[in-house]
DNA sequence: GCAAAGTAGATGCAATTGCATGTATGTGGG
DNA sequence: CCCACATACATGCAATTGCATCTACTTTGC
């Protein structure tokens, strides 16, 4: 996946390259396992959880789409359609945002809160099995610190 | 993105959860930046690089699809179609695998090698800027070690 | 106030992905 | 030898994504 040939301008050292490849591979593997757990439990994909969780955490269970976007790193056009799906499932509803005619609220419903809890009962153990069990507490903390530097 | 409520069976500790969220977010951010660099350079998406690079590294510049699959973590059906695209661009070609009628070789072409080098001139600096510059060598090494535990 | 520029969000269309299943071919047991 | 099962890869179809662009509004500068 990397390269050792030649010598132009700014090339990453091998440690950097391995960190990057490791990052891609680790998230790929872990995510695949977690998504498989969701699927096995007959639950929606992970993306839904993130949005529902952000809403639960927010005041009044409501956020503007652009706020969700910033918190989840979803692309604007993807979020717009993800909200459509959540609305169709009755997990959130859209409400007018009076102070700005362009805006809207996305509000989580009771069904949405219930779904998030149900999903967490899959997700939590899944994180524990696929991540927690492979790292000591100190390692997990250290990993989080290092990853935070990449943002 | 995580949860602190309730107390069922196996729940991840906060360090674990933060490590996992950090993993998702960090790869998201960095990947977005790297893909943007590829796009700005008018080059194909990152996935192409991985396949071409595995072929360059392999003996005779050839691998069986299932070998590429294992090395890159691509899903079988995605790889099958990615190879189609690479063939269409003349970057690889398929060859019969005599010892097993079900199999085939994927062989990198000269154009494929050239493309991989061209892509590396974008990719290398991109990795350096978005990953290398944010970590010391020791940190990068440490990060790679921790990430390796997740596979 | 009002045109120009910016911001919030939606959407048509093409490309990619995921899922289920299909088509060959190989292999192992009886 | 033959059948049941496994393996390698492809593919139809639906869902999701990416990209570019569009439609409201809002704000800014003059």
């Amino acid at each position: 996946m990397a390269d050792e040939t030649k010598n132009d301008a700014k090339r990453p050292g091998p440690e950097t390259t391995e960190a990057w490849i490791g990052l891609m591979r680790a998230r790929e593997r872990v995510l695949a396992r977690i998504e498989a757990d969701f699927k096995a439990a007959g639950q929606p994909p992970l993306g839904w959880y993130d949005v529902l969780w952000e809403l639960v955490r927010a005041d009044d269970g409501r956020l503007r789409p652009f706020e969700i976007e910033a918190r989840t790193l979803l692309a604007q056009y993807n979020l717009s359609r993800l909200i459509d799906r959540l609305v169709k499932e009755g997990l959130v509803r859209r409400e007018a945002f009076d102070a700005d005619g362009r805006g809207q609220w996305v509000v989580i419903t009771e069904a949405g809160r219930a779904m998030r809890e149900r999903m967490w009962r899959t997700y939590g153990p899944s994180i524990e099995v696929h991540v927690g069990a492979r790292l000591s507490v100190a390692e997990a903390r250290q990993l989080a610190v290092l990853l935070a530097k990449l943002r």
Side-chain angles (χ1 to χ4, degrees), chain A:
Chain A
M1 195 167 179
D3 190 339
E4 286 82 9
T5 56
K6 295 243 196 85
N7 234 317
D8 329 26
K10 273 185 300 197
R11 356 192 74 276
E15 298 84 3
T16 297
T17 304
E18 271 164 46
W20 169 235
I21 295 173
L23 178 55
M24 296 278 283
R25 299 279 161 99
R27 104 101 208 197
E28 194 61 34
R29 286 264 201 204
V30 176
L31 181 60
R33 292 178 179 127
I34 289 178
E35 289 278 23
D37 289 343
F38 274 117
K39 216 192 132 191
Q43 286 175 5
L46 182 51
W48 291 32
Y49 185 85
D50 288 13
V51 172
L52 294 175
W53 177 237
E54 293 303 337
L55 289 170
V56 167
R57 295 211 296 178
D59 256 16
D60 289 323
R62 67 180 55 210
L63 287 171
R64 304 276 307 275
F66 77 93
E67 297 174 308
I68 301 176
E69 198 185 321
R71 286 164 169 72
T72 62
L73 304 185
L74 282 164
Q76 182 268 320
Y77 48 83
N78 282 336
L79 175 59
S80 178
R81 291 188 273 218
L82 175 49
I83 294 171
D84 288 346
R85 283 169 235 146
L86 295 174
V87 168
K88 185 150 32 184
E89 297 297 321
L91 304 177
V92 307
R93 76 189 120 83
R94 300 183 199 262
E95 266 182 33
F97 178 70
D98 297 328
D100 185 335
R102 297 166 303 182
Q104 64 184 259
W105 285 112
V106 178
V107 190
I108 191 166
T109 63
E110 268 316 307
R113 290 180 191 274
M115 172 62 86
R116 192 209 65 83
E117 277 174 39
R118 207 164 78 78
M119 289 182 78
W120 179 248
R121 286 197 281 279
T122 300
Y123 194 19
S126 194
I127 294 173
E128 176 54 24
V129 169
H130 304 305
V131 180
R134 293 163 183 266
L135 300 171
S136 72
V137 169
E139 285 171 336
R141 197 179 346 253
Q142 176 69 4
L143 179 54
V145 167
L146 291 170
L147 289 168
K149 294 184 187 249
L150 297 180
R151 309 202 227 159

